Amino acid sequence: MPLAQRRWYIEQAETFAAAVRPKRLVEVSAAEITAFFPRYPREQQLDDWQFRQMVNALQLLLQEGKARRRRKARV
């Protein structure tokens, strides 16, 4: 991922984490994630490409969290 995009991805992941607080990411349900998607882009008036980047950022965040839990479970 280009460095210029990386900061935007991080900001989107941080925004999502803040939106679901006080829950930890591992505690967030699929329904809560799904509910976030239509509301946030509309509130922020995101362009289509920004919405796609937000979805990608959250996918990466959640995949990384899952991978960390698996690595931790092996130890």
XYZ file of all heavy atoms in Angstrom:
635
model
N 0.851 -1.170 0.000
C 0.000 0.000 0.000
C 0.899 1.236 0.000
O 1.827 1.321 0.784
C -0.885 -0.054 1.251
C -1.584 1.212 1.569
S -2.501 1.193 3.127
C -3.114 -0.447 3.248
N 0.612 2.174 -0.875
C 1.419 3.400 -0.910
C 1.338 4.155 0.417
O 0.310 4.169 1.092
C 0.774 4.212 -2.031
C 0.050 3.224 -2.863
C -0.377 2.143 -1.934
N 2.430 4.783 0.771
C 2.525 5.515 2.034
C 1.449 6.591 2.147
O 0.885 6.784 3.224
C 3.918 6.138 2.160
C 4.289 6.716 3.510
C 4.139 5.673 4.604
C 5.703 7.243 3.491
N 1.127 7.250 1.066
C 0.113 8.311 1.099
C -1.253 7.761 1.502
O -2.034 8.449 2.160
C 0.027 8.991 -0.269
N -1.557 6.530 1.123
C -2.836 5.923 1.480
C -2.831 5.354 2.894
O -3.874 5.266 3.527
C -3.177 4.800 0.507
C -3.533 5.276 -0.864
C -3.849 4.109 -1.784
O -3.588 2.958 -1.470
N -4.401 4.419 -2.936
N -1.683 4.977 3.352
C -1.573 4.302 4.651
C -2.176 5.132 5.781
O -2.919 4.623 6.614
C -0.108 3.985 4.940
C 0.070 3.013 6.062
C 1.499 2.583 6.182
N 1.898 1.933 4.921
C 3.134 1.638 4.609
N 4.106 1.915 5.437
N 3.415 1.058 3.477
N -1.875 6.413 5.808
C -2.395 7.265 6.885
C -3.920 7.317 6.859
O -4.567 7.292 7.888
C -1.809 8.681 6.773
C -2.274 9.605 7.857
C -1.770 9.139 9.223
N -2.697 9.578 10.246
C -2.963 8.918 11.364
N -2.348 7.816 11.643
N -3.827 9.370 12.221
N -4.489 7.358 5.645
C -5.938 7.404 5.528
C -6.555 6.115 6.056
O -7.565 6.130 6.748
C -6.342 7.640 4.076
C -7.700 8.208 3.946
C -8.044 9.527 3.919
C -8.921 7.486 3.835
N -9.403 9.659 3.800
C -9.971 8.415 3.751
C -9.244 6.131 3.810
C -11.303 8.047 3.634
C -10.575 5.762 3.697
C -11.582 6.723 3.608
N -5.942 4.977 5.733
C -6.424 3.686 6.218
C -6.379 3.646 7.749
O -7.326 3.180 8.386
C -5.577 2.551 5.653
C -6.013 2.070 4.290
C -6.008 2.907 3.187
C -6.417 0.759 4.099
C -6.397 2.467 1.937
C -6.812 0.293 2.851
C -6.798 1.153 1.776
O -7.199 0.707 0.543
N -5.299 4.130 8.307
C -5.171 4.147 9.769
C -6.252 5.026 10.387
O -6.875 4.651 11.379
C -3.759 4.610 10.178
C -2.730 3.542 9.783
C -3.692 4.915 11.679
C -1.293 4.004 9.873
N -6.486 6.182 9.798
C -7.528 7.080 10.325
C -8.899 6.411 10.295
O -9.686 6.546 11.240
C -7.569 8.379 9.517
C -6.418 9.299 9.805
C -6.457 10.570 8.979
O -7.552 10.938 8.489
O -5.402 11.188 8.822
N -9.200 5.700 9.225
C -10.492 5.022 9.133
C -10.612 3.913 10.169
O -11.660 3.749 10.801
C -10.724 4.473 7.726
C -10.876 5.543 6.689
C -11.938 6.567 7.062
O -13.019 6.235 7.514
N -11.622 7.831 6.894
N -9.548 3.159 10.367
C -9.567 2.105 11.390
C -9.736 2.707 12.782
O -10.501 2.193 13.602
C -8.276 1.289 11.308
N -9.060 3.805 13.050
C -9.192 4.480 14.340
C -10.605 5.026 14.540
O -11.148 4.965 15.648
C -8.168 5.607 14.464
C -6.752 5.111 14.612
C -5.705 6.215 14.528
O -6.036 7.342 14.080
O -4.548 5.944 14.900
N -11.206 5.549 13.485
C -12.571 6.060 13.558
C -13.541 4.941 13.918
O -14.425 5.104 14.762
C -12.976 6.714 12.218
O -12.130 7.834 11.990
C -14.426 7.161 12.232
N -13.362 3.797 13.278
C -14.233 2.663 13.585
C -14.044 2.205 15.026
O -15.019 1.981 15.740
C -13.967 1.500 12.623
C -14.784 0.293 12.949
C -16.127 0.257 12.632
C -14.215 -0.799 13.586
C -16.895 -0.854 12.947
C -14.971 -1.903 13.903
C -16.316 -1.933 13.574
N -12.806 2.078 15.466
C -12.535 1.653 16.840
C -13.171 2.613 17.839
O -13.745 2.193 18.848
C -11.031 1.539 17.073
N -13.111 3.895 17.559
C -13.725 4.890 18.442
C -15.246 4.767 18.431
O -15.897 4.954 19.465
C -13.308 6.293 18.021
N -15.814 4.428 17.288
C -17.270 4.322 17.172
C -17.834 3.147 17.957
O -18.982 3.201 18.387
C -17.667 4.209 15.701
N -17.041 2.112 18.156
C -17.547 0.924 18.865
C -17.127 0.881 20.331
O -17.519 -0.034 21.053
C -17.126 -0.387 18.153
C -17.728 -0.448 16.762
C -15.626 -0.550 18.120
N -16.360 1.864 20.771
C -15.969 1.898 22.175
C -17.191 2.004 23.057
O -18.170 2.627 22.672
C -15.035 3.091 22.430
C -13.634 2.776 22.055
C -12.659 3.836 22.547
N -11.364 3.599 21.951
C -10.789 4.370 21.055
N -11.348 5.483 20.667
N -9.627 4.050 20.557
N -17.212 1.426 24.198
C -16.091 0.871 24.952
C -15.764 -0.579 24.613
O -14.890 -1.178 25.229
C -16.545 0.990 26.399
C -18.015 0.823 26.332
C -18.424 1.459 25.012
N -16.441 -1.158 23.635
C -16.134 -2.535 23.256
C -14.752 -2.627 22.625
O -14.297 -1.702 21.967
C -17.154 -3.061 22.252
C -18.503 -3.333 22.842
C -19.376 -4.008 21.816
C -20.698 -4.385 22.442
N -21.507 -5.188 21.526
N -14.137 -3.780 22.836
C -12.899 -4.084 22.126
C -13.286 -4.642 20.764
O -14.398 -5.126 20.574
C -12.099 -5.104 22.925
C -11.634 -4.534 24.251
C -10.946 -5.551 25.155
N -10.076 -6.441 24.411
C -10.029 -7.764 24.648
N -10.784 -8.325 25.559
N -9.216 -8.524 23.937
N -12.398 -4.582 19.810
C -12.720 -5.041 18.457
C -13.157 -6.500 18.435
O -14.033 -6.872 17.665
C -11.539 -4.819 17.524
C -11.243 -3.359 17.193
C -10.004 -3.260 16.319
C -12.423 -2.687 16.527
N -12.572 -7.330 19.295
C -12.953 -8.745 19.322
C -14.371 -8.947 19.839
O -14.952 -10.006 19.654
C -11.961 -9.594 20.149
C -10.578 -9.573 19.523
C -11.912 -9.138 21.583
N -14.932 -7.947 20.478
C -16.282 -8.036 21.036
C -17.357 -7.489 20.089
O -18.546 -7.623 20.364
C -16.359 -7.260 22.350
C -15.398 -7.757 23.411
C -15.297 -6.824 24.606
O -15.555 -5.610 24.467
O -14.939 -7.310 25.686
N -16.952 -6.894 19.002
C -17.901 -6.265 18.072
C -18.546 -7.338 17.207
O -17.865 -8.185 16.631
C -17.187 -5.214 17.192
C -18.140 -4.605 16.197
C -16.565 -4.142 18.065
N -19.859 -7.292 17.121
C -20.590 -8.285 16.327
C -20.610 -7.899 14.849
O -20.389 -6.733 14.484
C -22.022 -8.397 16.839
O -22.749 -7.224 16.515
N -20.929 -8.879 14.038
C -21.073 -8.624 12.605
C -22.187 -7.609 12.358
O -22.076 -6.758 11.471
C -21.350 -9.926 11.865
N -23.245 -7.672 13.152
C -24.361 -6.728 12.998
C -23.914 -5.300 13.287
O -24.332 -4.362 12.605
C -25.509 -7.123 13.926
N -23.048 -5.110 14.280
C -22.551 -3.768 14.601
C -21.646 -3.230 13.490
O -21.702 -2.044 13.167
C -21.813 -3.784 15.933
C -22.736 -4.013 17.110
C -21.996 -4.309 18.387
O -21.101 -5.173 18.389
O -22.330 -3.675 19.407
N -20.855 -4.111 12.925
C -19.993 -3.703 11.812
C -20.857 -3.313 10.617
O -20.653 -2.265 9.998
C -19.016 -4.827 11.434
C -18.048 -5.077 12.587
C -18.256 -4.484 10.151
C -17.230 -6.341 12.444
N -21.844 -4.137 10.312
C -22.738 -3.873 9.192
C -23.504 -2.568 9.391
O -23.699 -1.807 8.435
C -23.712 -5.049 9.010
O -22.948 -6.251 8.817
C -24.617 -4.841 7.817
N -23.928 -2.285 10.610
C -24.677 -1.056 10.895
C -23.812 0.192 10.723
O -24.312 1.262 10.385
C -25.240 -1.104 12.309
N -22.513 0.060 10.936
C -21.591 1.186 10.823
C -21.489 1.672 9.374
O -21.419 2.875 9.122
C -20.212 0.772 11.346
C -19.154 1.819 11.194
C -19.049 2.858 12.099
C -18.251 1.763 10.149
C -18.065 3.824 11.969
C -17.264 2.718 10.006
C -17.164 3.750 10.923
N -21.492 0.746 8.421
C -21.201 1.092 7.033
C -22.164 2.070 6.391
O -21.736 3.018 5.754
C -21.043 -0.161 6.177
C -19.712 -0.819 6.376
C -19.632 -2.069 6.940
C -18.552 -0.171 6.025
C -18.406 -2.672 7.139
C -17.314 -0.754 6.220
C -17.247 -2.012 6.782
N -23.469 1.916 6.496
C -24.318 2.916 5.831
C -24.356 4.259 6.548
O -24.495 5.300 5.924
C -25.703 2.270 5.812
C -25.649 1.132 6.748
C -24.218 0.799 7.011
N -24.207 4.227 7.862
C -24.346 5.458 8.644
C -23.141 6.379 8.486
O -23.274 7.551 8.154
C -24.542 5.094 10.126
C -24.810 6.280 11.011
C -24.793 5.898 12.487
N -23.416 5.670 12.907
C -22.991 4.571 13.520
N -23.804 3.605 13.817
N -21.721 4.440 13.858
N -21.965 5.868 8.732
C -20.766 6.713 8.753
C -20.484 7.406 7.419
O -20.274 8.621 7.390
C -19.556 5.917 9.225
C -18.300 6.728 9.246
C -18.086 7.673 10.243
C -17.351 6.598 8.253
C -16.939 8.447 10.256
C -16.206 7.365 8.258
C -16.001 8.290 9.257
O -14.877 9.065 9.261
N -20.459 6.691 6.293
C -20.170 7.377 5.022
C -21.179 8.470 4.697
O -20.828 9.509 4.164
C -20.222 6.260 3.983
C -20.048 5.010 4.748
C -20.596 5.260 6.110
N -22.438 8.226 5.051
C -23.475 9.234 4.788
C -23.235 10.466 5.653
O -23.308 11.590 5.179
C -24.849 8.630 5.056
C -25.997 9.512 4.671
C -27.360 8.837 4.815
N -27.545 8.205 6.108
C -27.666 6.879 6.314
N -27.636 6.055 5.297
N -27.835 6.390 7.514
N -22.919 10.243 6.941
C -22.667 11.366 7.850
C -21.446 12.178 7.407
O -21.421 13.393 7.532
C -22.439 10.857 9.274
C -23.679 10.306 9.941
C -23.375 9.609 11.247
O -22.184 9.514 11.635
O -24.322 9.142 11.893
N -20.447 11.498 6.911
C -19.200 12.154 6.520
C -19.179 12.587 5.060
O -18.209 13.165 4.605
C -18.005 11.213 6.784
C -17.868 10.809 8.235
C -17.693 12.005 9.141
O -16.875 12.876 8.872
N -18.446 12.062 10.220
N -20.224 12.269 4.328
C -20.343 12.601 2.907
C -19.120 12.112 2.117
O -18.476 12.859 1.388
C -20.548 14.101 2.727
C -21.810 14.591 3.399
C -22.008 16.089 3.278
O -21.118 16.822 2.871
N -23.196 16.542 3.627
N -18.822 10.832 2.294
C -17.674 10.241 1.618
C -17.979 9.983 0.149
O -19.098 9.619 -0.209
C -17.291 8.920 2.276
C -16.863 8.958 3.734
C -16.467 7.568 4.193
C -15.730 9.938 3.964
N -16.967 10.152 -0.688
C -17.067 9.751 -2.086
C -16.996 8.225 -2.148
O -16.586 7.572 -1.186
C -15.906 10.334 -2.897
C -16.006 11.850 -3.042
O -17.140 12.375 -3.037
O -14.942 12.495 -3.149
N -17.366 7.665 -3.292
C -17.349 6.211 -3.446
C -15.967 5.628 -3.171
O -15.834 4.607 -2.506
C -17.810 5.809 -4.851
C -19.298 6.019 -5.054
O -20.039 6.177 -4.055
O -19.725 6.031 -6.225
N -14.919 6.271 -3.692
C -13.576 5.735 -3.500
C -13.177 5.795 -2.030
O -12.472 4.911 -1.535
C -12.549 6.456 -4.385
C -12.295 7.883 -4.009
C -12.952 8.989 -4.469
C -11.328 8.366 -3.070
N -12.438 10.130 -3.887
C -11.441 9.776 -3.022
C -10.376 7.755 -2.276
C -10.644 10.567 -2.205
C -9.577 8.538 -1.454
C -9.708 9.928 -1.429
N -13.626 6.809 -1.321
C -13.325 6.904 0.111
C -14.048 5.798 0.886
O -13.496 5.219 1.818
C -13.730 8.268 0.656
C -12.876 9.400 0.129
C -13.432 10.757 0.524
O -14.617 11.032 0.325
N -12.580 11.589 1.077
N -15.274 5.517 0.486
C -16.020 4.440 1.126
C -15.318 3.110 0.911
O -15.165 2.314 1.840
C -17.452 4.393 0.584
C -18.260 3.267 1.155
C -18.737 3.329 2.446
C -18.541 2.141 0.389
C -19.485 2.283 2.985
C -19.278 1.106 0.913
C -19.750 1.178 2.209
N -14.865 2.853 -0.319
C -14.154 1.597 -0.608
C -12.887 1.492 0.225
O -12.565 0.416 0.743
C -13.833 1.492 -2.098
C -15.052 1.148 -2.941
C -14.667 0.799 -4.370
N -13.948 1.867 -5.055
C -14.527 2.880 -5.685
N -15.845 2.965 -5.728
N -13.811 3.807 -6.282
N -12.171 2.593 0.369
C -10.964 2.557 1.195
C -11.307 2.276 2.656
O -10.590 1.564 3.343
C -10.180 3.869 1.098
C -9.314 3.939 -0.127
C -8.343 5.107 -0.065
O -8.546 6.059 0.674
N -7.306 5.026 -0.866
N -12.419 2.832 3.132
C -12.833 2.592 4.505
C -13.138 1.111 4.708
O -12.705 0.503 5.692
C -14.054 3.425 4.859
C -14.482 3.243 6.308
S -16.050 4.026 6.681
C -17.139 2.980 5.755
N -13.865 0.516 3.785
C -14.181 -0.910 3.875
C -12.892 -1.725 3.883
O -12.710 -2.627 4.712
C -15.109 -1.338 2.717
C -15.261 -2.860 2.668
C -16.468 -0.672 2.856
N -11.970 -1.408 2.984
C -10.688 -2.121 2.936
C -9.911 -1.953 4.236
O -9.312 -2.908 4.732
C -9.846 -1.642 1.758
C -10.408 -2.066 0.433
O -11.189 -3.000 0.340
N -10.038 -1.355 -0.616
N -9.907 -0.754 4.787
C -9.181 -0.500 6.036
C -9.745 -1.343 7.170
O -8.992 -1.935 7.951
C -9.250 0.984 6.394
N -11.061 -1.430 7.251
C -11.668 -2.220 8.313
C -11.431 -3.709 8.104
O -11.208 -4.450 9.064
C -13.158 -1.916 8.425
C -13.485 -0.492 8.850
C -14.982 -0.295 8.995
C -12.771 -0.115 10.127
N -11.442 -4.153 6.866
C -11.137 -5.555 6.591
C -9.712 -5.886 7.046
O -9.487 -6.902 7.698
C -11.291 -5.865 5.101
C -12.723 -5.930 4.659
C -12.848 -6.099 3.152
O -12.002 -5.627 2.381
N -13.907 -6.762 2.731
N -8.776 -5.026 6.705
C -7.391 -5.247 7.121
C -7.258 -5.245 8.644
O -6.566 -6.095 9.217
C -6.472 -4.185 6.514
C -6.261 -4.264 5.009
C -5.532 -3.018 4.512
C -5.500 -5.522 4.644
N -7.917 -4.312 9.288
C -7.866 -4.218 10.741
C -8.406 -5.490 11.386
O -7.773 -6.062 12.283
C -8.675 -3.008 11.211
C -8.839 -2.844 12.714
C -7.509 -2.511 13.366
C -9.879 -1.766 13.013
N -9.553 -5.943 10.942
C -10.165 -7.126 11.541
C -9.388 -8.400 11.213
O -9.254 -9.281 12.059
C -11.621 -7.230 11.101
C -12.499 -6.061 11.576
C -13.875 -6.117 10.931
C -12.605 -6.022 13.084
N -8.827 -8.496 10.023
C -8.004 -9.651 9.663
C -6.736 -9.701 10.506
O -6.315 -10.762 10.965
C -7.643 -9.614 8.181
C -8.799 -9.924 7.277
C -8.462 -9.666 5.813
O -7.391 -9.190 5.466
N -9.410 -9.977 4.945
N -6.130 -8.542 10.721
C -4.916 -8.487 11.536
C -5.225 -8.900 12.974
O -4.461 -9.631 13.598
C -4.298 -7.088 11.506
C -3.077 -6.927 12.374
C -1.919 -7.850 12.017
O -1.813 -8.278 10.848
O -1.111 -8.149 12.920
N -6.357 -8.441 13.484
C -6.751 -8.826 14.834
C -6.959 -10.320 14.960
O -6.527 -10.943 15.936
N -7.582 -10.910 13.957
C -7.807 -12.354 13.960
C -6.480 -13.110 13.894
O -6.271 -14.087 14.607
C -8.684 -12.738 12.769
C -9.102 -14.183 12.756
C -9.889 -14.499 11.498
C -11.357 -14.506 11.818
N -12.173 -14.966 10.670
N -5.560 -12.652 13.058
C -4.253 -13.296 12.929
C -3.476 -13.203 14.240
O -2.818 -14.166 14.651
C -3.457 -12.659 11.792
N -3.559 -12.073 14.908
C -2.862 -11.922 16.199
C -3.414 -12.880 17.237
O -2.664 -13.460 18.014
C -2.979 -10.494 16.707
C -2.101 -9.524 15.993
C -2.204 -8.152 16.588
N -1.413 -7.214 15.826
C -1.300 -5.946 16.107
N -1.944 -5.441 17.143
N -0.565 -5.162 15.370
N -4.733 -13.033 17.265
C -5.336 -13.956 18.235
C -4.896 -15.386 17.965
O -4.629 -16.145 18.896
C -6.861 -13.844 18.202
C -7.375 -12.575 18.861
C -8.882 -12.579 19.045
N -9.639 -12.779 17.831
C -9.924 -11.830 16.944
N -9.520 -10.588 17.153
N -10.629 -12.096 15.862
N -4.800 -15.772 16.692
C -4.337 -17.131 16.352
C -2.895 -17.328 16.782
O -2.553 -18.375 17.339
C -4.468 -17.374 14.858
C -5.858 -17.802 14.446
C -5.837 -18.216 13.014
N -5.595 -16.992 12.246
C -6.173 -16.685 11.117
N -7.000 -17.499 10.556
N -5.923 -15.552 10.502
N -2.037 -16.334 16.523
C -0.628 -16.454 16.926
C -0.513 -16.567 18.435
O 0.264 -17.353 18.950
C 0.176 -15.267 16.412
C 0.452 -15.311 14.915
C 1.473 -14.283 14.486
N 1.114 -12.910 14.772
C 0.463 -12.101 13.926
N 0.104 -12.534 12.747
N 0.192 -10.861 14.269
N -1.304 -15.792 19.138
C -1.285 -15.791 20.592
C -1.763 -17.137 21.153
O -1.233 -17.637 22.138
C -2.154 -14.653 21.127
C -1.908 -14.281 22.530
C -2.720 -13.043 22.886
C -2.374 -12.552 24.262
N -3.114 -11.345 24.595
N -2.755 -17.726 20.499
C -3.301 -19.005 20.950
C -2.296 -20.133 20.792
O -2.313 -21.106 21.548
C -4.574 -19.313 20.188
N -1.395 -20.025 19.831
C -0.377 -21.067 19.597
C 0.691 -21.068 20.663
O 1.368 -22.064 20.862
C 0.280 -20.864 18.245
C -0.604 -21.246 17.100
C 0.194 -21.188 15.822
N -0.677 -20.655 14.784
C -0.285 -19.975 13.745
N 0.974 -19.709 13.567
N -1.153 -19.536 12.860
N 0.884 -19.940 21.312
C 1.985 -19.821 22.297
C 1.648 -20.531 23.561
O 0.664 -20.849 23.991
C 2.282 -18.332 22.586
C 3.305 -18.184 23.683
C 2.740 -17.665 21.325
